[in-house]
Amino acid sequence: MRKDYKLEKRKYIIGGFVVLIALIYVFRLYSLQINDERYKESADNNAFLKKTIYPSRGLIKDRNGELVVYNQPAYDVMMIPRDVQPFDTVDFCNTLNITREQFDNRLIDMRRSPGYSTYTPQVLMTQLSAADYGRLQEKLYRYPGFFIQKRILRQYNYTAAANVLGNIREVSQADIERDSYYFRGDYIGDLGVERSYDEYLRGIKGQEILIRDAHGRIQGRYADGTKDIPAQSGRNLKLSLDINLQAYAESLMVNKIGAVVAIEPKTGEILAMVSSPTYDPTTLIGRARGQNYAALNADPLHPLFDRALMGAYPPGSTFKPGQGLILLQEDIITPQTAYPCYHGFISGGLKVGCHGHGSPLPLKPALQTSCNAYFCWGLKAMLDNHKKKYGSVANAFETWKLHLVSMGYGYRLGVDLPSEGRGFIPNAKFYNKIYGENRWSANTIISIAIGQGEILATPLQIANVCATIANRGWFITPHVVKEIEDTVMPAELLEKRYPTIDKAHYDVVAEGMRMAVTGGTCRLANLPDIEVAGKTGTAQNPHGKDHSAFIGFAPYDDPKIAVCVYVENAGFGATYGVPIGSLVIEKYLNGKISPARQYLEERMLNSNTIIYSGVKKH
Amino acid sequence: MESRNTKESIFKHLDWSVIVLYLLLVAAGVVSIYAASYDFDNASVFDFEEFSGKQIRWIGLSFFLGLVLLLVDSRMYETYAYPIYFGVLALLLVTIFIAPNIKGSHSWLVLGPMSLQPAEFGKFATALALAKLFSGYNFALNAAKINYVKAGAIIVAPILLILAQNETGSALVYLSLAFVLYREGMSGLVLYAFVFAIVAFVVTVKFTATAILGATTGQFVILMLIELTMIAMAAFHSKHPNAARMLGLWFGATLLIDVLLSLVGVHVPGLPYFITVIIIGAGYCVYEYLKTRIIKLWFIVAGALVAILFMFSVNYVFNSALQPHQQMRIKVALGIEDDPLKAGYNVNQAKIAIGSGGFSGKGFLEGTQTKLKYVPEQHTDFIFCTIGEEEGFVGSVAVIVLFLILILRVIAIAERQPSAFGRVYAYCVASYLILHLCINIGMVIGLCPVIGIPLPFFSYGGSSLWGFTVLLFILLRIDASRRNVRNY
């Protein structure tokens, strides 16, 4: 046969076609294998089921090592939607004790949630009861795609200190977006130290990598578990709180609205911090949490509102020791300076009433008797008669204000708890706005001299001033956590802070407070074996009966406790403030109440002042 | 005529490069099958209960078969080409009725412990018959129209029988013999029309979302392709450069006008505009015919009209003639539909397997996609996934290159055959290999629709391996004695 050379050339076309196809395929392989990382990820997502191992949450103990908060396991039912195969839904629902509707609704909720993916574990039901858990565990093999995730819930040894301890709740979408640690279904600290120390308490999650085949069956552990990451338990906390003192103080505050704050002056450690009415922290555990939380939220007495931290109260006469310090520091008075009191402060048609006592008085007896006139005259002297020193009323007022701020009034102290309030100390601008520039003087605003008027403070701030006087000139930022396991406490909770008052002036004020106990308004706090110094407060307020307040510290020469008691609408400071404050002091220092004072304890435990608050409970 | 037809001379003249390629591919195949079916319970390669062990047994039998085929006198293949062909056709026919229903297909003959797929043996038989037809005295494809009918009949008979067995994929393979007809003189236009039809189908179905000059991108591309084809046909087929120049000017000018109009904000509907332009171009070709009497100009006219009709019928065919699952497969393959859990699952998992291999792969037996059975049919049709995942880009390209070398080598062998019989047979082998490679690898990397045909020498299964072994060793035998063949 003759070779047809023309046709033979067609081998190049055919060969060329093959080469072209090969090149296209090589290019395609390049783009799949080298140019695109997503496939590697997809393959890993297919093959590796990453199961989170939850660390146990750090335990919380009190200052004496008493266990306060511990963990209890709970079980969540999880599902990986794409691994789920048709199953007996009726049996499944029966096992879990839910209706078909509940199950379907739960599925719909789950699909709607923002983190939904068919490839990753989704929370179907949280916090199974032990019985449900047991039943489901037995049948789990029938339901591929479902598994049980062990979680940690909290349990409490005491019903006290709910406001300090806080609790845990399921994370919100905002939590997830804010902190990459969290995934849907995780728990996060809510309120109290659970919130503020969450990063220490929560620990570090571990990861178990399992190999999963196309049917969703687990084929074993990846690399024999060598690539697994063990969970690291959260750090334990040691509170500065004395849980027994806390419980005692709470019992004294039963049926009262208000707060008690007890601080160890030398360390700034909060020994007790009561907000009343309070609640039982165990009601916020587990599945009942939502309902109980809503009920607490709706309670007209606002038990979730931490009055010790957030309450803004007129300090009343508990403000006077601080006033004395400022007047001494500014050389407005000396300890010998005496001011008259004609049953009150009378100036230019203005009268601030006072009760019967000798006149004129120097500072110490003025504190002892809680003389209103003295401090009004003092403030008037500072604002009106010293224009040469300050130039103007406004400047004098600003000086006064800065001293208060240095004592911790007007701004957040920086306690290691969430949502601290800041109270309120007005500045000159504030009054300029109300009265007009240079249109106000001491007389216009005289009630602030006795802790009334615009002045507002939190019980924590008031207690802190008391601790400062106990220390004769310094304080440490109050805090509720004494130790974090294996961690150094933050420096700002250990450093001394000095108000702008010379140390020398404190003794005068402290002596005045001592006199108030030995022979003044606080005589009920005069314990036979403990030298207490104190100051009452009776604060007028627009809500009804006066608030009853007390600050005090003891022992006088070596203070171990400084207390602030604030009872809303309970009348004179001496009626509720002093008894409660002195009982807390006695209980803390002596461990018991002397028989002679048990009548007082009895009276406090059984009295009810909520009736004066105007709030109708339910 | 230096040697006689003895065993010794056969082995001396054997094309050892093909044998080496064959051994490499088969060995790589066993390793891949072992990897693809490897379980955590760690079985042995030689365990005859395992796929790899069974494949080794198939390979052993293949070697024996290959040796036997080499020992047969090469003239026997030519002599018995038709009896073999009709014998296999009969077998295919019988299979339709006696084969059990396996996943809807009646293509497996169960013989005791093993089952065979006669369709795989239809390939070599059809190749022999086609070679025999072309080796007739003074046979030339273009000499008479009847030759096309004869060749077509030889190709279509097994296709029909295999379609009757419900093995669409295997039937499609025979269409690759169009390459052989092309090599033997069939007009390149037919091949071009073939490729054009596939491209036009894909492009019109796929690119409907965007528009260029008032037509969908797909339609625009096809219209431009028709215009270019008309110009090229006028220049190279009709050998009428003047007509080509005129058509070029006409199409260029009309395109330019449309672009300018759209720039000034006048938007002409693209489809009727360009169709009118093309029909006027066709009319010009008729005019040129009347002037020059160049018959071939009519091809341009017919081609243009058929192409336009085809373009319009694609949507109809796609939406009406194809079954929903076929539409879905095509859409998934073309990347129109993304349906990773249903129709696209296989392809998607295959792509994940290959894509996750990276440059150098995850390492032998380290592929998670294949070990954990995410890829379906991974030891048979999707075997390439295992290579892609475990051996990466390097391994995948190596396999493609091995096949490329083999195919080019077979083409070279074809062209050195002194007889039409040898040449046509060799081109048949090359054509089968090209189609298998194109479709099998194309589908696992998501470039072709999923059509279940094996990767030659790699995919698990005796029938496929034997089928290709027989094809290749008969070629080697014919090639070894090419010097003994007298030129007619």
Side-chain angles (χ1 to χ4, degrees):
Chain A
M1 180 186 163
R2 283 172 293 108
K3 273 214 162 179
D4 189 336
Y5 290 103
K6 221 178 113 194
L7 286 182
E8 193 186 333
K9 278 185 187 158
R10 291 189 167 183
K11 70 181 178 191
Y12 295 116
I13 305 278
I14 297 171
F17 175 79
V18 184
V19 172
L20 180 70
I21 292 286
L23 283 177
I24 290 172
Y25 284 11
V26 167
F27 179 77
R28 171 72 171 177
L29 284 168
Y30 171 83
S31 69
L32 281 179
Q33 298 186 300
I34 298 177
N35 222 8
D36 199 334
E37 285 295 310
R38 284 174 310 169
Y39 293 105
K40 177 99 188 81
E41 226 172 89
S42 303
D44 288 352
N45 282 344
N46 270 343
F48 303 130
L49 175 63
K50 290 174 182 164
K51 269 178 115 170
T52 304
I53 308 171
Y54 284 88
S56 62
R57 200 169 167 88
L59 305 176
I60 302 178
K61 295 175 181 171
D62 88 337
R63 66 185 294 115
N64 300 315
E66 290 289 325
L67 185 63
V68 180
V69 184
Y70 59 98
N71 296 320
Q72 73 173 15
Y75 302 93
D76 289 359
V77 184
M78 311 288 289
M79 69 185 279
I80 299 170
R82 65 161 227 150
D83 292 345
V84 173
Q85 280 153 28
F87 61 96
D88 183 350
T89 342
V90 176
D91 183 49
F92 187 79
C93 291
N94 287 343
T95 310
L96 286 178
N97 251 332
I98 53 173
T99 65
R100 182 62 199 259
E101 274 88 32
Q102 286 173 318
F103 177 74
D104 290 341
N105 288 338
R106 191 60 206 102
L107 284 185
I108 291 165
D109 285 353
M110 198 173 79
R111 287 201 194 97
R112 281 193 191 140
S113 74
Y116 182 74
S117 157
T118 56
Y119 284 79
T120 55
Q122 304 289 315
V123 185
L124 179 71
M125 280 184 65
T126 55
Q127 300 162 18
L128 243 52
S129 71
D132 289 346
Y133 164 71
R135 270 202 309 279
L136 180 65
Q137 181 69 23
E138 258 173 47
K139 291 185 181 173
L140 204 58
Y141 71 95
R142 288 191 218 160
Y143 310 118
F146 290 91
F147 65 94
I148 294 176
Q149 174 83 62
K150 190 176 162 189
R151 302 263 190 187
I152 299 296
L153 288 186
R154 289 305 226 185
Q155 196 49 271
Y156 301 83
N157 267 337
Y158 298 84
T159 53
N163 58 323
V164 175
L165 298 173
N167 49 80
I168 55 172
R169 62 167 167 83
E170 221 176 301
V171 287
S172 66
Q173 190 57 29
D175 296 323
I176 297 170
E177 279 159 20
R178 183 179 47 80
D179 190 337
S180 61
Y181 177 91
Y182 291 108
F183 288 96
R184 237 178 78 71
D186 284 0
Y187 289 92
I188 188 173
D190 190 31
L191 310 173
V193 292
E194 294 277 18
R195 176 80 194 196
S196 54
Y197 286 87
D198 189 59
E199 280 174 32
Y200 296 101
L201 288 168
R202 70 192 183 185
I204 298 170
K205 286 183 201 166
Q207 197 176 53
E208 187 182 21
I209 307 174
L210 299 172
I211 300 175
R212 168 178 61 185
D213 75 6
H215 306 290
R217 290 178 304 225
I218 299 303
Q219 297 287 341
R221 309 179 71 174
Y222 175 60
D224 289 328
T226 51
K227 295 283 196 303
D228 289 1
I229 305 163
Q232 288 179 34
S233 299
R235 298 180 196 283
N236 297 336
L237 293 186
K238 186 175 204 176
L239 298 180
S240 62
L241 234 51
D242 180 325
I243 192 68
N244 291 314
L245 184 68
Q246 173 81 20
Y248 180 66
E250 283 185 17
S251 68
L252 295 175
M253 288 295 285
V254 163
N255 289 325
K256 296 164 197 75
I257 302 174
V260 175
V261 178
I263 297 175
E264 183 177 75
K266 285 194 183 62
T267 56
E269 290 168 7
I270 295 172
L271 299 169
M273 189 162 78
V274 179
S275 170
S276 185
T278 183
Y279 58 93
D280 180 352
T282 56
T283 58
L284 295 188
I285 300 171
R287 275 201 250 172
R289 184 182 195 279
Q291 211 180 343
N292 291 339
Y293 189 90
L296 287 173
N297 222 0
D299 190 324
L301 294 174
H302 305 299
L304 289 173
F305 178 74
D306 190 339
R307 291 172 165 82
L309 278 184
M310 293 185 269
Y313 295 110
S317 299
T318 62
F319 201 53
K320 287 173 183 165
Q323 284 295 295
L325 288 170
I326 295 171
L327 297 175
L328 288 168
Q329 176 69 23
E330 290 293 316
D331 291 327
I332 309 296
I333 59 168
T334 66
Q336 286 73 43
T337 308
Y339 285 121
C341 176
Y342 314 106
H343 287 275
F345 165 80
I346 300 163
S347 164
L350 186 79
K351 177 169 180 174
V352 177
C354 195
H355 33 85
H357 54 73
S359 169
L361 289 175
L363 178 58
K364 280 190 251 178
L367 284 170
Q368 180 183 20
T369 57
S370 195
C371 174
N372 286 341
Y374 186 92
F375 294 95
C376 292
W377 285 119
L379 184 68
K380 188 169 169 63
M382 182 168 174
L383 298 186
D384 292 356
N385 305 339
H386 285 74
K387 281 190 183 161
K388 270 179 206 150
K389 188 174 174 189
Y390 303 108
S392 70
V393 175
N395 284 350
F397 184 78
E398 281 297 306
T399 308
W400 178 81
K401 185 210 117 180
L402 287 175
H403 284 304
L404 289 174
V405 168
S406 77
M407 293 179 203
Y409 284 119
Y411 291 90
R412 291 181 185 92
L413 280 166
V415 68
D416 53 348
L417 286 170
S419 49
E420 184 190 355
R422 55 182 282 192
F424 183 70
I425 301 293
N427 55 17
K429 238 195 248 165
F430 177 82
Y431 287 121
N432 285 340
K433 224 182 221 169
I434 297 176
Y435 302 110
E437 225 160 302
N438 299 322
R439 305 277 304 270
W440 53 280
S441 64
N443 279 7
T444 328
I445 58 169
I446 200 67
S447 57
I448 64 170
I450 53 169
Q452 295 282 163
E454 289 78 18
I455 304 290
L456 296 172
T458 66
L460 182 72
Q461 286 170 332
I462 301 171
N464 183 58
V465 171
C466 180
T468 310
I469 297 166
N471 284 336
R472 315 294 200 271
W474 55 270
F475 69 93
I476 290 174
T477 305
H479 51 277
V480 293
V481 171
K482 193 175 159 71
E483 283 168 26
I484 309 168
E485 186 189 13
D486 296 332
T487 308
V488 180
M489 285 296 290
E492 60 265 29
L493 297 183
L494 301 170
E495 284 165 1
K496 287 182 182 175
R497 290 163 67 176
Y498 295 90
T500 51
I501 309 288
D502 291 342
K503 261 180 111 55
H505 303 311
Y506 284 92
D507 277 327
V508 184
V509 170
E511 276 170 46
M513 287 172 70
R514 175 66 188 140
M515 283 158 65
V517 171
T518 51
T521 51
C522 309
R523 274 184 301 263
L524 273 176
N526 195 11
L527 306 174
D529 49 349
I530 303 165
E531 284 187 288
V532 179
K535 181 74 199 74
T536 51
T538 305
Q540 293 168 8
N541 66 87
H543 308 294
K545 210 170 161 181
D546 290 349
H547 295 327
S548 168
F550 169 75
I551 58 172
F553 63 87
Y556 181 73
D557 291 320
D558 179 22
K560 291 192 163 58
I561 181 169
V563 180
C564 165
V565 179
Y566 205 102
V567 188
E568 290 182 28
N569 307 114
F572 294 114
T575 328
Y576 283 95
V578 178
I580 292 173
S582 63
L583 286 168
V584 167
I585 290 171
E586 188 181 7
K587 181 81 173 179
Y588 180 66
L589 294 177
N590 286 350
K592 59 181 194 320
I593 304 301
S594 66
R597 285 166 55 78
Q598 275 167 6
Y599 79 97
L600 205 56
E601 184 182 41
E602 201 72 12
R603 192 198 294 166
M604 290 304 116
L605 291 173
N606 296 325
S607 56
N608 185 334
T609 65
I610 292 183
I611 49 175
Y612 306 118
S613 68
V615 179
K616 286 199 183 86
K617 179 123 191 181
H618 305 299
Chain B
M1 318 306 146
E2 56 208 333
S3 62
R4 290 202 306 272
N5 192 1
T6 65
K7 280 182 206 169
E8 194 185 49
S9 64
I10 285 164
F11 291 107
K12 199 168 157 193
H13 296 295
L14 264 184
D15 192 293
W16 285 99
S17 61
V18 169
I19 293 191
V20 169
L21 285 167
Y22 169 79
L23 292 175
L24 276 175
L25 289 168
V26 164
V30 175
V31 171
S32 303
I33 290 167
Y34 176 65
S37 52
Y38 176 84
D39 212 337
F40 285 99
D41 301 329
N42 206 351
S44 154
V45 201
F46 299 102
D47 183 341
F48 285 138
E49 291 312 305
E50 288 299 316
F51 288 128
S52 52
K54 286 187 191 164
Q55 185 73 354
I56 286 175
R57 196 163 49 184
W58 290 117
I59 290 170
L61 290 167
S62 293
F63 289 169
F64 174 72
L65 194 65
L67 191 67
V68 170
L69 290 170
L70 289 180
L71 294 176
V72 172
D73 186 332
S74 68
R75 279 167 302 190
M76 300 286 279
Y77 297 121
E78 201 170 339
T79 310
Y80 292 106
Y82 286 138
I84 292 172
Y85 176 70
F86 288 112
V88 172
L89 283 188
L91 188 60
L92 285 172
L93 183 67
V94 170
T95 307
I96 300 171
F97 301 105
I98 66 167
N101 185 341
I102 298 174
K103 289 182 198 163
S105 108
H106 296 266
S107 62
W108 293 91
L109 280 185
V110 181
L111 307 167
M114 62 181 191
S115 39
L116 283 176
Q117 213 173 8
E120 291 296 335
F121 302 96
K123 283 176 195 154
F124 91 92
T126 307
L128 283 176
L130 207 57
K132 176 77 179 173
L133 174 71
F134 279 81
S135 67
Y137 181 69
N138 258 352
F139 182 92
L141 187 57
N142 286 327
K145 296 268 182 313
I146 190 74
N147 291 345
Y148 279 100
V149 176
K150 288 178 185 166
I154 288 176
I155 296 170
V156 168
I159 292 181
L160 292 178
L161 290 171
I162 295 169
L163 280 176
Q165 296 173 359
N166 221 351
E167 274 290 305
T168 324
S170 301
L172 267 179
V173 172
Y174 292 85
L175 290 180
S176 68
L177 296 176
F179 284 119
V180 180
L181 300 185
Y182 169 69
R183 167 60 185 87
E184 293 305 314
M186 183 178 75
S187 167
L189 281 176
V190 179
L191 210 59
Y192 180 80
F194 219 70
V195 174
F196 181 88
I198 293 170
V199 171
F201 180 83
V202 170
V203 169
T204 40
V205 170
K206 180 161 183 168
F207 299 104
T208 53
T210 54
I212 299 175
L213 292 175
T216 70
T217 305
Q219 287 169 336
F220 180 79
V221 168
I222 297 307
L223 289 165
M224 289 302 111
L225 216 53
I226 293 172
E227 291 188 354
L228 286 175
T229 307
M230 287 170 76
I231 297 168
M233 281 174 75
F236 304 112
H237 188 247
S238 313
K239 306 269 192 266
H240 193 342
N242 275 332
R245 214 167 294 133
M246 285 302 289
L247 281 171
L249 274 174
W250 167 240
F251 292 142
T254 49
L255 179 62
L256 191 66
I257 289 167
D258 197 15
V259 171
L260 290 176
L261 280 176
S262 74
L263 283 180
V264 298
V266 180
H267 296 287
V268 183
L271 200 58
Y273 177 80
F274 285 108
I275 287 174
T276 312
V277 166
I278 288 168
I279 289 174
I280 293 172
Y284 165 76
C285 291
V286 175
Y287 165 75
E288 277 296 317
Y289 164 76
L290 293 173
K291 239 170 62 178
T292 60
R293 297 285 157 179
I294 298 174
I295 300 268
K296 283 185 171 176
L297 282 167
W298 281 107
F299 281 90
I300 305 177
V301 177
L305 296 178
V306 168
I308 287 171
L309 282 179
F310 180 77
M311 201 177 79
F312 279 109
S313 61
V314 161
N315 276 325
Y316 170 78
V317 169
F318 187 75
N319 292 323
S320 310
L322 292 181
Q323 290 175 4
H325 77 273
Q326 289 168 323
Q327 288 179 16
M328 187 50 94
R329 277 184 175 188
I330 290 168
K331 281 185 173 174
V332 168
L334 296 180
I336 300 166
E337 293 278 333
D338 195 16
D339 184 16
L341 287 183
K342 290 176 196 146
Y345 178 82
N346 293 2
V347 176
N348 191 47
Q349 293 297 345
K351 272 158 69 181
I352 291 174
I354 292 174
S356 64
F359 180 73
S360 55
K362 295 177 185 170
F364 185 55
L365 302 183
E366 300 290 331
T368 54
Q369 278 291 102
T370 42
K371 295 299 156 292
L372 298 167
K373 322 271 185 250
Y374 283 92
V375 180
E377 305 292 332
Q378 49 188 321
H379 57 286
T380 57
D381 293 348
F382 282 80
I383 188 76
F384 193 71
C385 292
T386 307
I387 301 157
E389 187 179 20
E390 299 193 347
E391 316 306 331
F393 182 68
V394 176
S396 319
V397 171
V399 168
I400 289 178
V401 168
L402 275 182
F403 273 109
L404 183 63
I405 295 171
L406 178 66
I407 291 166
L408 294 179
R409 183 68 198 158
V410 170
I411 291 174
I413 289 172
E415 289 298 342
R416 76 182 179 197
Q417 297 306 311
S419 71
F421 181 80
R423 184 178 70 240
V424 169
Y425 181 82
Y427 265 109
C428 287
V429 175
S431 304
Y432 292 139
L433 286 172
I434 291 170
L435 196 102
H436 271 267
L437 187 70
C438 270
I439 293 193
N440 182 280
I441 297 184
M443 79 177 176
V444 296
I445 60 180
L447 290 179
C448 296
V450 175
I451 295 169
I453 60 171
L455 185 61
F457 313 114
F458 272 82
S459 291
Y460 169 78
S463 300
S464 163
L465 180 63
W466 282 13
F468 279 100
T469 302
V470 170
L471 266 174
L472 213 55
F473 278 84
I474 291 179
L475 173 67
L476 287 171
R477 183 64 191 87
I478 293 170
D479 179 58
S481 53
R482 65 186 182 272
R483 288 172 182 78
N484 300 344
V485 178
R486 275 189 305 115
N487 277 339
Y488 288 107

